[in-house]
Amino acid sequence: MICFTTLSFGQSPIKADESQIKELIIETTDLPENIFDVDLNLDWIKFRFINIKSLSNFKIKSDSWAFEKCKINSKTLSDISELNPNLKKLRILACDVSNDINLSVFKELEEFQLVYSLDEQKVENILKDSNIKKLILSGDVISDPENKKFINTLKQKGVKVEIEGLVI
């Protein structure tokens, strides 16, 4: 695992046996200059505590991406789909999410985790035209009657649904 925080790595060049690095955790916008020169085969790319407007210049691929306590929008997801058209897992945890995100840009997405990140947008708007097989939601999402109804239709279609946290 490589973790970039402002305090620990800053602009240090990366020197590592790429075959052993499975997670890249980014907590700062100050990345080493050669980050994109290292050929990484990552299980996860995780962003934490960052306001992300665009990832169009981010040239590292992984089948699984996570955003934790970030601010993201539809452009963020569109950029990921261009970089990683075969994305398998997407986790959005405690993020400030714009009201226009839609997962239909990910044709191969199998698992979506939306935990404590949804204010007013309905789950149906986010998931319409998606082909996910597994959905992990926080209990607050299922407390909305419209969301609950849509989630039940997903279950009937064979989507595995898990709930994290309390249902209010």
Side-chain angles (χ1 to χ4, degrees), residues 2-12 25-32 48-51:
I2 297 179
C3 181
F4 292 105
T5 64
T6 305
L7 299 175
S8 65
F9 282 91
Q11 291 293 325
S12 304
I25 300 172
I26 300 171
E27 297 177 341
T28 180
T29 55
D30 297 323
L31 298 175
R48 292 183 180 155
F49 315 111
I50 300 177
N51 180 359

Side-chain angles (χ1 to χ4, degrees), residues 109-112 123 127 130-137 150-162:
L109 189 65
E110 294 176 1
E111 181 179 313
F112 179 55
V123 174
L127 297 176
S130 69
N131 297 314
I132 60 167
K133 295 175 178 69
K134 183 176 180 182
L135 177 63
I136 300 173
L137 298 168
F150 179 72
I151 291 163
N152 285 333
T153 63
L154 290 176
K155 286 180 182 179
Q156 292 171 353
K157 292 179 182 178
V159 175
K160 182 179 180 182
V161 177
E162 294 179 13

Side-chain angles (χ1 to χ4, degrees), residues 44-97:
W44 280 94
I45 296 174
K46 297 180 179 181
F47 291 89
R48 292 183 180 155
F49 315 111
I50 300 177
N51 180 359
I52 301 171
K53 295 179 182 173
S54 173
L55 289 170
S56 60
N57 293 326
F58 195 83
K59 306 296 183 202
I60 299 175
K61 294 184 179 186
S62 174
D63 288 343
S64 304
W65 285 56
F67 298 92
E68 300 172 4
K69 298 183 180 179
C70 292
K71 184 173 183 177
I72 62 172
N73 57 39
S74 61
K75 172 83 170 103
T76 309
L77 298 182
S78 177
D79 290 344
I80 295 171
S81 73
E82 289 177 23
L83 296 167
N84 295 275
N86 299 324
L87 188 73
K88 302 291 183 213
K89 295 180 182 181
L90 178 62
R91 177 173 174 86
I92 300 175
L93 172 67
C95 290
D96 181 0
V97 181

